[in-house]
Amino acid sequence: MGGCTDTVVARMDATDEDPETAAVRAANTAFYAAFEARDLDAMSDVWEHTDRVTCVHPGWPILSGWASVAASWFALFDGPQRLQFIVTDEQVHVEGATAWVTCNENLIDGGGTQAVAATNVFVADDGRWHLVHHHGSPVVQQARARNS
């Protein structure tokens, strides 16, 4: 996964989970590893390449279709910002061929830290889980909210 060893994913008793839940968790981990490594090939491998995929980056409009989503990753990875992810409160839910993961993305960059609440939706296809939707919303710090 692009040699990304700094990605940390917090697990809640992941040792006793069923194989499908473990596979979804692995797909989610691969998503964050690709993001942190700024690896377009690895990111492309995580996503389904169809018109039904959607992505909402914090502060961005909804992107629909693989071409738009892929272009967004190219733009993000081409930019100057380098992020380290510490993923916490990861919850994996599997219902048949659909799964979703909710988590907190704790981002560390050269200028400080920020938190993003995220939902990632996966679908099973040919024995693999592919991402079809990512939504990241910035978390407003409570101290900032009280001072507003």
Side-chain angles (χ1 to χ4, degrees):
M1 284 186 259
C4 178
T5 59
D6 292 331
T7 300
V8 177
V9 178
R11 291 181 171 80
M12 295 180 59
D13 202 39
T15 57
D16 294 331
E17 64 193 9
D18 65 89
E20 289 303 313
T21 300
V24 171
R25 190 180 306 278
N28 199 59
T29 299
F31 168 69
Y32 287 105
F35 198 159
E36 187 173 284
R38 299 162 62 109
D39 185 333
L40 285 171
D41 290 334
M43 184 60 77
S44 178
D45 194 45
V46 169
W47 283 85
E48 181 180 274
H49 295 192
T50 67
D51 289 337
R52 74 175 175 174
V53 301
T54 54
C55 183
V56 181
H57 298 294
W60 290 43
I62 298 170
L63 303 171
S64 297
W66 172 241
S68 294
V69 171
S72 76
W73 292 115
F74 181 81
L76 286 169
F77 293 170
D78 196 43
Q81 187 177 31
R82 300 228 180 253
L83 298 173
Q84 177 184 356
F85 287 83
I86 300 173
V87 176
T88 58
D89 301 320
E90 182 183 52
Q91 298 292 319
V92 177
H93 305 275
V94 179
E95 294 292 333
T98 304
W100 61 97
V101 179
T102 57
C103 60
N104 290 314
E105 303 171 356
N106 302 281
L107 308 175
I108 302 169
D109 65 17
T113 63
Q114 60 184 335
V116 173
T119 302
N120 298 318
V121 179
F122 295 86
V123 294
D125 182 37
D126 292 329
R128 288 199 53 220
W129 289 95
H130 287 101
L131 193 59
V132 294
H133 178 74
H134 168 72
H135 186 122
S137 295
V139 175
V140 178
Q141 300 273 334
Q142 286 185 357
R144 282 190 212 154
R146 282 193 299 260
N147 293 331
S148 299

